[in-house]
Amino acid sequence: MSEAHGRSGILLIDKPAGITSHDVVARTRKRAGTRKVGHAGTLDPMATGLLVLGINNSTRLLTSLVGLDKEYFATIRLGSATNTDDADGEPIEVAEPGRVDALTAAAVSAALVPLTGAIRQVPSSVSAIRVDGKRAYTLAREGEIVELAARSVTVSALEVFGSRREAGFYDLDVRVRCSSGTYIRAIARDLGAALGVGGHLTALRRSMIGPFSVADAADLESLDVAAALIAPAAIAAALFPVFALDAEQAVDLGHGKRLVAERPEGLPGPVAAIAPDGRLVGLLEFTAGIGKPIVNFAPDVLTEPEAGE
């Protein structure tokens, strides 16, 4: 594991169920031999799937990942609502079996329409949103009634690809493509409410964050940090247009100087400035032929692990 000491980069991890995102970070810190580990977007303990971690200097790249669109596969149980909007909570409403049996695929499809597109969504009361300095889930678990304001989100895809009926419940397997800040638990809650039978989430797996897929993620239990680490330049090139620096420009930018150059073609927003040796030097913003550093990334300083690590 000494190869990873001091190296920066991004890790794609397939989070298992039953642990928190913080648990994943803690385990990765030990494997990587550094405390400089952060993540872009949490997953609940019940959830599995893609978690993106930043190591050392690449923690500064995580802000560029947090706002990316995401894809999930989930199972919604109709016929029961819980106080957490998922299977970890206590039932607060159970519908009569006859009402659930009467639900049709057409009724479900019609109820999904208002939950798709640009919508206003009230987050789950056990979300990580802060209310008066405390996390909403902390207040909810202390017995307080938590009322969160609706927020604008975009659900670009909400598709049912499987269903099952059992023991008075109607389970739907769904695929969701959505903007950052969307709560899949809230979709389950709101669908159940619209159909008058209650609903909650029983399974959730995050499959994509922007261009990054869980198919490319490492297993946490067998994680080899050095082998799984993705170079910062590769991540930046997947997110932004690339400006190929010459050696002199790389030195200048590293010293915080501006570049006199035309912006490369591509989507608006930051530009990844990459040195001749393939190192990500910084992210730039261009205005009128001037490239100004938004953030610079210092070269890695490789170290050996301390005894006992």
Side-chain angles (χ1 to χ4, degrees):
M1 284 184 281
S2 62
E3 294 178 59
H5 273 256
R7 286 179 57 194
S8 298
I10 295 293
L11 288 174
L12 306 182
I13 302 294
D14 188 348
K15 175 192 159 315
I19 64 173
T20 67
S21 298
H22 180 74
D23 291 333
V24 176
V25 169
R27 294 187 192 183
T28 303
R29 282 174 175 156
K30 291 182 180 179
R31 299 278 183 91
T34 178
R35 294 200 57 78
K36 295 180 182 178
V37 179
H39 63 78
T42 61
L43 284 173
D44 293 334
M46 181 189 81
T48 69
L50 185 59
L51 193 65
V52 179
L53 304 186
I55 308 293
N56 292 319
N57 290 340
S58 290
T59 55
R60 305 179 77 185
L61 266 177
L62 294 178
T63 54
S64 300
L65 296 164
V66 170
L68 297 175
D69 285 356
K70 298 172 177 65
E71 181 187 69
Y72 297 88
F73 288 86
T75 299
I76 296 172
R77 168 154 287 186
L78 297 175
S80 173
T82 73
N83 61 350
T84 60
D85 302 326
D86 63 24
D88 288 339
E90 298 295 326
I92 56 175
E93 174 190 353
V94 178
E96 292 292 333
R99 296 189 65 185
V100 179
D101 292 341
L103 290 176
T104 64
V108 169
S109 295
L112 288 173
V113 173
L115 303 178
T116 308
I119 63 172
R120 297 280 292 171
Q121 183 189 70
V122 177
S124 170
S125 62
V126 292
S127 67
I129 295 171
R130 289 190 180 275
V131 179
D132 296 329
K134 281 191 174 183
R135 300 288 188 185
Y137 59 71
T138 300
L139 295 173
R141 287 166 185 163
E142 291 173 351
E144 294 192 30
I145 296 175
V146 180
E147 295 184 1
L148 299 175
R151 54 177 58 190
S152 297
V153 298
T154 299
V155 179
S156 54
L158 180 50
E159 306 163 348
V160 178
F161 63 89
S163 63
R164 295 167 301 286
R165 295 180 187 268
E166 59 175 285
F169 299 114
Y170 190 14
D171 290 342
L172 306 175
D173 298 321
V174 301
R175 169 185 170 268
V176 185
R177 183 80 183 187
C178 57
S179 63
S180 180
T182 304
Y183 285 86
I184 313 304
R185 285 176 292 162
I187 292 176
R189 176 200 66 203
D190 293 345
L191 177 62
L195 293 167
V197 296
H200 69 275
L201 209 62
T202 61
L204 181 65
R205 181 166 176 78
R206 185 157 64 195
S207 50
M208 295 192 75
I209 298 177
F212 308 110
S213 171
V214 72
D216 300 317
D219 179 77
L220 182 62
E221 294 305 317
S222 58
L223 176 64
D224 180 336
V225 173
L229 205 60
I230 304 173
I235 296 296
L239 298 175
F240 310 116
V242 170
F243 186 96
L245 301 166
D246 61 31
E248 183 179 354
Q249 289 172 326
V251 172
D252 287 345
L253 184 60
H255 291 156
K257 294 183 180 180
R258 302 182 180 191
L259 301 181
V260 179
E262 291 302 317
R263 186 186 191 279
E265 293 184 2
L267 296 174
V271 171
I274 298 178
D277 63 0
R279 181 176 66 86
L280 177 64
V281 179
L283 300 179
L284 307 177
E285 60 179 2
F286 277 82
T287 305
I290 301 295
K292 178 182 177 182
I294 302 172
V295 58
N296 278 352
F297 298 89
D300 288 336
V301 178
L302 302 184
T303 62
E304 288 298 317
E306 295 179 10
E309 287 189 345

